Amino acid sequence: MPLKKLLVLDGVIAVCRFQDDGSIMDAAGMLPSDMMERLAKFAQWYRRMVSGNTDLFSLFSQMRGWAPSQGWIVYGSQVSVCSTGNLVCMVQNGQGSLNEIMVALADVAHD
């Protein structure tokens, strides 16, 4: 199962694949189901916001390469949330490499 590949990375607490409406398609990790649902909804909402912003920036700057966005990271005081495509994971800060996690997310998202 591809999501299990992400769970073995240092610092990854939970990972899920979500649909365009924010509902969970598949999930794995150490979060209760209600928290996993909130993580998926947050990721879906944030992806839409980032997409809108990159589309506008691309339009106004007349520069290529800004859209579509390739992913995003929200860095919190204790945990961070990383996402690419319709995958999102929660990461314990100070453990693991966010760069490595983003590359792995992109690999799994394109499988």
Side-chain angles (χ1 to χ4, degrees):
M1 169 180 248
L3 294 185
K4 301 272 186 194
K5 286 188 210 177
L6 297 168
L7 268 183
V8 300
L9 297 174
D10 289 341
V12 175
I13 299 167
V15 60
C16 74
R17 185 182 312 270
F18 58 93
Q19 296 181 0
D20 287 339
D21 65 355
S23 59
I24 295 176
M25 294 170 61
D26 194 12
M30 306 289 280
L31 286 181
S33 61
D34 64 322
M35 288 290 291
M36 196 70 81
E37 288 174 17
R38 284 189 264 172
L39 176 63
K41 289 283 186 188
F42 169 76
Q44 181 262 348
W45 171 83
Y46 205 84
R47 181 180 70 172
R48 290 181 66 183
M49 184 187 71
V50 167
S51 179
N53 286 341
T54 55
D55 288 347
L56 283 173
F57 186 74
S58 181
L59 176 71
F60 291 129
S61 70
Q62 295 296 306
M63 295 170 59
R64 295 179 184 265
W66 291 102
S69 65
Q70 300 299 306
W72 50 265
I73 300 172
V74 175
Y75 192 79
S77 63
Q78 296 179 6
V79 295
S80 297
V81 178
C82 306
S83 182
T84 299
N86 69 337
L87 286 174
V88 62
C89 70
M90 185 176 284
V91 180
Q92 185 71 43
N93 289 346
Q95 297 179 12
S97 163
L98 292 178
N99 288 333
E100 180 183 334
I101 291 167
M102 290 301 287
V103 168
L105 276 171
D107 288 345
V108 173
H110 293 104
D111 280 349

